Amino acid sequence: MSERIDVLVIGGGPVGAALALSLQGSPVSVTVLEARSSPAPDPRMLALSYGSKLFLERIRAWQGIHDATPINTIHVSQKGGFGRTVLTAEESGVPSLGYVVSYPDIHRALVSGLDTETYLEGACAGEIDLSEEEGVVDFDYQGQRRRIAAKLVVMADGGKLVEHVKGISLDSREYGQWAIIGQVRTEKPHGNTAYERFTPEGPLALLPCRDGFSLVWTTSPETAREILSLEKEKFLEKLHDHFGGRLGEFVDAGAMSGFPLVLKYATPSVSKHLALIGNASQTLHPVSGQGLNLGLRDVATLSRVVMGAEEIGSGAMLGNYAGMRKMDRESGICFTDSLIRIFSNEISPLRMGRGMALASMDCLPPFRKWFSRKMMFGIRTGSIL
Ligand SMILES: Cc1cc2nc3c(=O)[nH]c(=O)nc-3n(C[C@H](O)[C@H](O)[C@H](O)COP(=O)(O)OP(=O)(O)OC[C@H]3O[C@@H](n4cnc5c(N)ncnc54)[C@H](O)[C@@H]3O)c2cc1C
């Protein structure tokens, strides 16, 4: 059976679901194909910027998130070197710099706003055929092979199918790092402060979360395996050695999981009747928590461009979208990748340079404010949140 709609979204994770929600209620017809039949448990706690919160409020998803811990201060430092800087919500003129929310909570809040005809669970997309007229996608759904034609196919599948799409090339860089994530508690309260500490093995982040912290500890795969096999007491000791005593002792830890880290980005991010958004377009290192925030800015821009288009999926519409996203997207990729290259080594002149950069930033409130606002709202080129 074949039907033709305006927008077909492949992948109903937070980014694909947010696009469908932002188009819902407009004259644009939209269907989402989500391979999973029910949401998988995902241990990720995500730092959403204040800009993302405003966007989620606008599409009425934030109202469905009941467990969000505000980040009012961000403390950035490097292990084994001088220099640190502190960013605050007050200085940036916002109520909070961001909020820590679980992946399942954001996802649920987005999907619950969509009706079951729009969001097809258990629909796994396979072949994508792009022609001058339309995009056609084959998918398996309820034991049947089905096909949908759309004026615009949007890939929001997290990057799984991109390499099979003609005309799109995928660049990638293995970081040789894993992120260990889980919940920890410390002797001292978090006071709504997030910590980003750069170490030669990789950055370590502690995000305020409920009455403790959500930990993102990046290290080599070998060390990660070793850390994941430690008993709780030994784990807490090792974490204390690595992070230091700023928060007193680490007193408790929940179950930990490991994620291998890679940078992947597609070029170009649009093709005939096709746009890539979220992790399908760019999968970043989690340092500074940019991935979903960037993906939601893709959504905010694309939904606006689609709703204002004379012809959905045309070359003009897609060129307009790609142009509006170019600078923010490339800066996000370059910023996170450079942080890892610059901070993940022990060369002493570099350590000194990093210390000076952090110390100078600490002495320049206008620069700090400019920087915080770029992190919260991205680089605006005629768009967005
Ligand atoms: C350890 C870690 C910490 C992070 N911390 C942060 C943070 O603090 N802040 C932040 O902004 N970002 C963070 N990120 C990044 C963030 O998790 C991602 O950017 C975000 O999840 C991307 O969402 P997405 O919807 O594009 O992709 P995904 O979340 O990967 O969703 C893709 C969806 O597509 C579906 N799918 C796949 N293939 C198919 C198919 N063939 N057919 C149909 N459906 C399909 C999948 O089932 C899935 O539901 C972090 C990432 C990691 C690994």
Side-chain angles (χ1 to χ4, degrees):
M1 190 178 92
S2 176
E3 45 188 307
R4 182 175 154 120
I5 58 170
D6 290 327
V7 178
L8 177 66
V9 185
I10 301 177
V15 169
L19 179 66
L21 198 56
S22 60
L23 293 173
Q24 192 164 263
S26 77
V28 178
S29 55
V30 56
T31 298
V32 183
L33 306 179
E34 168 51 48
R36 293 196 185 112
S37 307
S38 57
D42 193 304
R44 268 176 283 185
M45 297 299 301
L46 305 172
L48 285 183
S49 69
Y50 182 65
S52 292
K53 183 223 179 199
L54 294 182
F55 174 65
L56 291 172
E57 268 176 358
R58 215 163 70 211
I59 62 171
R60 286 185 288 282
W62 186 258
Q63 292 76 342
I65 298 174
H66 302 296
D67 188 4
T69 310
I71 303 174
N72 296 339
T73 305
I74 302 177
H75 185 285
V76 187
S77 62
Q78 62 169 336
K79 189 181 175 190
F82 74 99
R84 64 106 170 98
T85 195
V86 178
L87 311 172
T88 66
E90 195 182 2
E91 187 174 78
S92 301
V94 289
S96 279
L97 293 168
Y99 298 83
V100 181
V101 183
S102 77
Y103 182 107
D105 275 1
I106 300 172
H107 192 227
R108 196 178 311 114
L110 288 160
V111 173
S112 64
L114 295 168
D115 54 54
T116 48
E117 281 116 65
T118 301
Y119 190 85
L120 306 185
E121 279 184 321
C124 186
E127 209 157 300
I128 302 166
D129 186 20
L130 304 170
S131 70
E132 295 303 326
E133 292 77 38
E134 60 192 11
V136 178
V137 176
D138 287 328
F139 63 103
D140 292 319
Y141 184 54
Q142 297 179 336
Q144 283 186 334
R145 192 81 176 150
R146 302 195 33 185
R147 169 171 288 191
I148 298 187
K151 294 177 187 166
L152 175 65
V153 175
V154 178
M155 293 187 71
D157 65 325
K160 303 218 164 40
L161 288 173
V162 181
E163 59 196 84
H164 305 296
V165 179
K166 276 195 213 122
I168 305 273
S169 71
L170 203 58
D171 283 292
S172 66
R173 169 160 125 80
E174 294 285 341
Y175 282 113
Q177 291 181 347
W178 277 24
I180 299 170
I181 64 167
Q183 296 298 111
V184 295
R185 285 202 302 114
T186 52
E187 222 176 333
K188 295 187 187 166
H190 57 59
N192 296 97
T193 298
Y195 295 85
E196 184 87 64
R197 187 154 174 79
F198 290 94
T199 84
E201 297 96 77
L204 185 150
L206 285 169
L207 307 172
C209 183
R210 302 172 193 133
D211 62 347
F213 284 97
S214 166
L215 169 73
V216 186
W217 180 353
T218 43
T219 186
S220 69
E222 303 74 48
T223 311
R225 277 189 211 97
E226 195 190 303
I227 291 171
L228 287 168
S229 68
L230 291 175
E231 284 177 8
K232 195 194 279 185
E233 292 300 306
K234 295 274 178 225
F235 173 84
L236 294 173
E237 269 172 38
K238 196 162 176 91
L239 180 55
H240 184 270
D241 289 347
H242 199 57
F243 179 75
R246 195 180 295 278
L247 292 162
E249 297 295 325
F250 286 88
V251 294
D252 199 8
M256 296 288 145
S257 322
F259 281 78
L261 301 179
V262 63
L263 165 68
K264 275 199 274 181
Y265 56 95
T267 316
S269 60
V270 294
S271 183
K272 274 184 272 179
H273 298 277
L274 179 81
L276 272 54
I277 58 173
N279 273 29
S281 176
Q282 63 276 322
T283 301
L284 309 181
H285 193 289
V287 64
S288 76
Q290 290 298 296
L292 181 56
N293 291 302
L294 203 57
L296 291 176
R297 297 202 290 270
D298 289 344
V299 169
T301 305
L302 185 59
S303 60
R304 220 159 90 176
V305 170
V306 165
M307 284 191 277
E310 275 179 25
E311 200 187 330
I312 293 173
S314 66
M317 189 220 96
L318 287 161
N320 186 17
Y321 165 70
M324 285 167 87
R325 290 301 300 138
K326 185 174 164 48
M327 208 193 283
D328 190 34
R329 174 178 190 255
E330 288 177 0
S331 317
I333 295 169
C334 184
F335 174 66
T336 51
D337 192 44
S338 307
L339 279 181
I340 298 308
R341 286 176 194 267
I342 294 169
F343 278 92
S344 297
N345 65 66
E346 285 181 286
I347 304 167
S348 120
L350 252 181
R351 191 184 319 134
M352 180 93 89
R354 295 186 306 237
M356 281 162 64
L358 288 173
S360 319
M361 194 165 168
D362 212 46
C363 299
L364 291 171
F367 177 67
R368 277 203 310 271
K369 182 174 176 183
W370 174 87
F371 178 79
S372 300
R373 295 193 71 88
K374 292 289 161 254
M375 300 286 286
M376 284 186 285
F377 300 106
I379 295 181
R380 295 165 190 242
T381 40
S383 42
I384 346 185
L385 297 176

